[in-house]
Amino acid sequence: MKHTLSVLVEDRPGVLARVASLLARRGFNIHSLAVGPTAEPGMSRMTIVVDAPELEQVKKQLHKLVNVVRITELDPATALEREIMLVRVAAPAGKRGEVLEIASIFKATAVDVGPSSMCFQISGTPAKINDFLDLVRPYGIVDLVKSGRIAMAREQKTKPGRLRAVN
Amino acid sequence: MSTITGAQALITALEHEGVDVVFGVPGGAILPAYDPLHDSPIRHILARHEQGAGHMAEGYAWATGRVGVAMATSGPGATNLVTPLADALMDSVPIVAITGQVPTSAVGNDAFQEAYTTGITMPATKHNYFVTDVDEIPQVVREAFHIASTGRPGPVLIDLPKNVLTATTTWREPGEISLAGYKPTVDGHPRRVKEAVDLIAEAQRPVLYVGGGIIKANASAELRRFAELVNVPVTTTLMGRGAFPDDHRLSLGMPGMHGTYTAITALQKADLLIAIGVRFDDRVTGKVDTFAPHAKVIHVDVDPAEIGKVRTADVPIVGDARRILTQLIEAWAGRETPDRHPWLDTIAAWKRDYPLRYDQQPDGPIKPQFVIEELYRLTDGDATLVAGVGQHQMWASQFWRFSDPRRWINSGGLGTMGFAIPAAIGAKVGRPDDLVYAIDGDGSFQMTLQELITAASEGIPVKVAVFNNRSYGMVTQWQKLFYGGKLSASVLGDDVDYVKIAEGLGCAGLRAETPDEVAPTLEKSLAIDDRPVVVELVVDPDEMVFPMVPAGASNDEVILGPDDLGALP
């Protein structure tokens, strides 16, 4: 089962290695990981998607890292989740129109055109990106790169599940 | 303001932390730090191997409760520290390790004696630092000591490139510690404390299951008050021996794989475990599914990650053990002390019917348990015992009657053979007026015996009993019980002359080969105080540690002795 963790960390060298090493120690595969600065100076946010049956113990272990400030597990059903993808699709002159038509439905932008292929940029939910990929796959995917997933909780009526300690 | 080097800033920062001794081995990259150290009031003890320096720092921390400090150079110096760091992490021992590193310009270039120390030690420390800015040294040292000694204590490493040590700076008084991601909880949640007290009042068969957390929190006095107040029997884990006096009417002894029948069985029959500063280690629980099957659990620990890790807690309480015991005592106020008669009577019957036992024949080989009991008798129990890892460790823990915290020092979690000699040295340096007796096996002894040179040359009169059974005794025990008696690679079979070794390394050497020689030889060892003493005890190689719960078996299946092996699967 995939879990999305939003981890606020101090922006220090080696923090990524500490977090990754801890997940590796538990044998968890990191599905995707995105790191970037936050609005708070000196702090970074990691959005980590991991494949694991349950995360309670790992969240507690992650909290033991001195540079980890806050961990929030985001519910995929309600959280805002986004990815960005660059995909180069095989599209010789005769096929460009069809491919562009699909792209326009998905609001994917053509960012490069060559004699035999076109490159699109698309952002959105992981589901939307996968749907777009399914539709262009028959034309032939030459190359593909995805950002890690980034995610944020929606404004909640109930208190978000912040994990500081057991009690 | 005068200009100082990074090395001078480091030593000044250590002085400000109250450090009185550093255990270390010098080398190229750390040399700049050794220069001002020479002029400092801080004593340096030259270990003969960095692993020894690390265990010495641990022994010092165990014995005193203060942070132990180890120093080593880059590369092999740092990698040799990995074992004591991992040991300290497992057993929550507060130490700070300072390592030299190649200059920052050479880092990552496979320079001479370069190792990626912070990377290698990341999973073996509570936290570590790679310092690239000389101005940060005082603050990093302050933070390192704070992290090592607060919350769940543990090892912290500071890696210092040579050019950072030689760069100049001005002394900056370290500021307030503000670590956004590190704020250990101290006080227990009042509602949880109230729930705990209610459960204790209702329980028919409660047991206090306590460990190293009591010792780390200096909570022994509070534990005793609480146990007496609620009239609940106490079992102390290997890490918690001495947290509660063994001669107390409520004491059950040690639980677990080689625990007393009474402690193991009391846990199995309990309807409530009051677990404080313990982590439900596999050596205590045996097969987890069948451990204390009828018990509700109150789990008190300063580390939230320990709660629910192995066993779900009905009442989790995060915080400092001493503080929470005080809260529990306050919350109990107004209630009467229960008489708990049926339960305490049952326990008294187990104690009577299933005591620890061994059979010392007057003309037979020396039984190791007899040596522990004789040493206890001759010292009146007034000593700090430091064990290596193996059978001798278990016998020492079983047969010594502990009465005080911090006077039993051993490697519990990592099980580091070779721990005893250097840890005893560290303990003796920390508490020079105490009698420090290491109980070692011949296998363990051979792993760190060179530190006897340190003890002799630095004038640290520790005593080391070597239980010589010419084998890795615990390995042979398992091979005899579970591998059809095939003693693969476990018999040392050598004719090592431990007396000559001792004398050759500047220590006194003694030997006892028969039971009647044990007491006089131990007495001789106690009379020598001008140098370290090694006492070789030629013990019965066939003696095994009992009781025993085989690894992975249920704690309902205790093997009581060699005559009880029919129960083996």
Side-chain angles (χ1 to χ4, degrees):
Chain A
M1 187 178 165
K2 290 203 172 60
H3 300 262
T4 306
L5 291 178
S6 179
V7 185
L8 186 69
V9 299
E10 290 182 284
D11 181 16
R12 294 273 173 84
V15 176
L16 178 59
R18 289 178 201 277
V19 170
S21 152
L22 202 137
L23 290 167
R25 184 181 169 197
R26 303 289 298 196
F28 291 165
N29 189 31
I30 297 175
H31 177 78
S32 94
L33 191 150
V35 196
T38 62
E40 270 177 89
M43 295 287 174
S44 295
R45 181 167 310 277
M46 295 184 182
T47 308
I48 311 170
V49 182
V50 286
D51 227 336
E54 70 92 30
L55 275 186
E56 208 47 46
Q57 182 60 24
V58 165
K59 284 190 286 191
K60 287 178 175 179
Q61 295 286 344
L62 277 174
H63 250 307
K64 290 177 72 167
L65 298 177
V66 170
N67 302 129
V68 170
V69 178
R70 193 158 59 239
I71 304 170
T72 315
E73 185 172 356
L74 297 170
D75 178 359
T78 58
L80 300 163
E81 297 191 317
R82 295 293 181 269
E83 282 175 1
I84 184 163
M85 174 174 75
L86 291 172
V87 60
R88 182 175 294 284
V89 182
K95 295 283 184 189
R96 278 182 201 150
E98 290 174 37
V99 176
L100 274 168
E101 201 174 318
I102 297 169
S104 81
I105 296 167
F106 282 85
K107 296 197 170 72
T109 319
V111 289
D112 183 38
V113 185
S116 61
S117 71
M118 300 181 76
C119 182
F120 294 97
Q121 167 196 314
I122 176 171
S123 65
T125 64
K128 172 188 165 185
I129 288 178
N130 284 337
D131 288 349
F132 177 65
L133 262 183
D134 286 345
L135 285 170
V136 295
R137 188 168 283 119
Y139 297 92
I141 290 169
V142 180
D143 204 357
L144 179 157
V145 60
K146 277 185 184 180
S147 70
R149 188 177 305 178
I150 55 168
M152 190 182 273
R154 290 176 194 272
E155 191 177 352
Q156 303 236 339
K157 290 171 191 95
T158 52
K159 277 173 81 179
R162 273 176 56 169
L163 284 145
R164 285 301 304 172
V166 165
N167 62 349
Chain B
M1 191 163 273
S2 63
T3 299
I4 56 171
T5 64
Q8 285 166 328
L10 169 70
I11 302 303
T12 305
L14 293 177
E15 288 169 4
H16 283 213
E17 295 301 325
V19 173
D20 58 356
V21 59
V22 168
F23 305 92
V25 182
I30 195 69
L31 268 182
Y34 270 84
D35 190 62
L37 182 58
H38 193 72
D39 306 323
S40 160
I42 296 173
R43 178 181 181 189
H44 180 266
I45 288 174
L46 177 63
R48 262 45 176 188
H49 189 287
E50 291 85 354
Q51 183 191 353
H55 292 320
M56 286 173 204
E58 285 190 274
Y60 175 93
W62 266 89
T64 64
R66 299 196 295 271
V67 176
V69 182
M71 198 180 275
T73 194
S74 61
T79 57
N80 282 342
L81 275 178
V82 172
T83 299
L85 289 171
D87 190 277
L89 186 68
M90 278 284 238
D91 286 349
S92 311
V93 186
I95 62 171
V96 167
I98 292 157
T99 50
Q101 181 55 277
V102 300
T104 44
S105 59
V107 164
N109 283 326
D110 304 326
F112 176 64
Q113 290 195 329
E114 183 187 0
Y116 177 27
T117 302
T118 44
I120 289 168
T121 60
M122 201 177 278
T125 52
K126 185 173 174 185
H127 192 56
N128 62 19
Y129 291 90
F130 177 63
V131 182
T132 51
D133 180 353
V134 64
D135 296 340
E136 286 181 358
I137 289 175
Q139 185 68 24
V140 165
V141 170
R142 169 63 54 88
E143 283 182 15
F145 276 75
H146 175 72
I147 292 169
S149 59
T150 54
R152 179 179 182 169
V156 179
L157 179 138
I158 306 172
D159 199 31
L160 291 156
K162 192 170 188 177
N163 61 311
V164 175
L165 287 169
T166 53
T168 52
T169 182
T170 49
W171 173 256
R172 286 157 198 255
E173 196 60 39
E176 281 295 296
I177 292 167
S178 163
L179 297 162
Y182 181 76
K183 292 181 176 103
T185 306
V186 176
D187 290 333
H189 195 292
R191 196 170 65 235
R192 297 295 196 201
V193 171
K194 169 80 171 54
E195 285 170 16
V197 164
D198 289 343
L199 273 186
I200 295 165
E202 286 161 22
Q204 301 299 307
R205 299 182 308 282
V207 174
L208 269 156
Y209 155 38
V210 305
I214 296 287
I215 304 208
K216 303 301 186 309
N218 296 314
S220 295
E222 288 77 6
L223 170 67
R224 184 168 176 166
R225 258 182 74 204
F226 179 66
E228 288 170 354
L229 185 66
V230 297
N231 206 21
V232 171
V234 184
T235 179
T236 48
T237 68
L238 182 67
M239 293 300 296
R241 304 288 289 133
F244 191 79
D246 282 327
D247 57 8
H248 194 284
R249 66 177 179 87
L250 289 170
S251 171
L252 303 172
M254 182 170 73
M257 182 176 272
H258 294 298
T260 64
Y261 177 87
T262 305
I264 297 168
T265 309
L267 288 170
Q268 288 307 91
K269 304 294 182 198
D271 66 350
L272 177 67
L273 302 189
I274 310 160
I276 309 180
V278 290
R279 55 189 181 86
F280 292 79
D281 180 74
D282 56 86
R283 286 310 193 249
V284 168
T285 63
K287 192 176 172 194
V288 175
D289 303 344
T290 61
F291 174 68
H294 316 294
K296 288 194 170 177
V297 173
I298 298 165
H299 194 175
V300 177
D301 206 286
V302 74
D303 180 357
E306 285 306 335
I307 294 178
K309 184 179 86 174
V310 174
R311 172 78 175 243
T312 307
D314 298 275
V315 180
I317 311 180
V318 177
D320 173 73
R322 185 171 170 185
R323 178 71 198 113
I324 289 168
L325 277 163
T326 307
Q327 288 178 283
L328 287 167
I329 291 167
E330 286 164 2
W332 185 267
R335 295 184 199 244
E336 282 195 19
T337 297
D339 83 8
R340 303 211 190 272
H341 251 307
W343 178 229
L344 293 178
D345 294 343
T346 308
I347 286 170
W350 288 332
K351 279 192 191 176
R352 186 186 62 233
D353 296 342
Y354 303 100
L356 291 168
R357 58 191 164 92
Y358 65 95
D359 181 18
Q360 177 65 68
Q361 295 292 327
D363 50 356
I366 299 173
K367 296 291 183 179
Q369 302 94 323
F370 173 68
V371 179
I372 303 289
E373 291 204 313
E374 285 295 275
L375 184 61
Y376 185 85
R377 184 176 63 80
L378 294 169
T379 58
D380 215 9
D382 187 13
T384 291
L385 233 56
V386 186
V389 168
Q391 289 181 314
H392 63 278
Q393 175 190 24
M394 293 298 113
W395 285 315
S397 176
Q398 289 177 332
F399 285 88
W400 196 262
R401 312 288 299 160
F402 294 97
S403 53
D404 311 301
R406 300 196 180 282
R407 294 184 93 188
W408 162 247
I409 298 173
N410 82 133
S411 168
L414 197 67
T416 308
M417 287 176 67
F419 180 81
I421 296 172
I425 292 170
K428 183 72 179 171
V429 170
R431 289 224 308 263
D433 297 332
D434 208 3
L435 167 64
V436 176
Y437 223 116
I439 305 295
D440 222 350
D442 51 331
S444 251
F445 180 86
Q446 290 182 19
M447 291 200 178
T448 49
L449 69 88
Q450 78 278 15
E451 298 306 345
L452 289 170
I453 309 168
T454 307
S457 58
E458 298 273 353
I460 305 162
V462 292
K463 304 185 197 303
V464 182
V466 185
F467 286 29
N468 182 10
N469 56 11
R470 294 190 166 83
S471 61
Y472 295 130
M474 193 58 96
V475 175
T476 59
Q477 174 165 343
W478 282 49
Q479 288 171 332
K480 287 170 189 170
L481 295 177
F482 312 118
Y483 291 87
K486 197 192 290 175
L487 301 184
S488 175
S490 56
V491 176
L492 298 174
D494 38 25
D495 250 329
V496 178
D497 187 332
Y498 290 92
V499 173
K500 272 192 188 155
I501 286 184
E503 288 169 350
L505 301 182
C507 308
L510 304 168
R511 180 183 293 125
E513 292 176 283
T514 58
D516 58 340
E517 288 173 3
V518 170
T521 311
L522 291 176
E523 273 176 334
K524 259 186 237 167
S525 79
L526 294 171
I528 300 169
D529 221 19
D530 60 341
R531 70 213 132 119
V533 190
V534 174
V535 184
E536 179 194 1
L537 298 130
V538 180
V539 298
D540 183 355
D542 294 323
E543 190 63 17
M544 295 197 206
V545 183
F546 292 108
M548 179 173 193
V549 178
S554 161
N555 278 356
D556 294 323
E557 300 160 33
V558 189
I559 301 169
L560 290 169
D563 44 0
D564 191 26
L565 289 171
L568 267 187

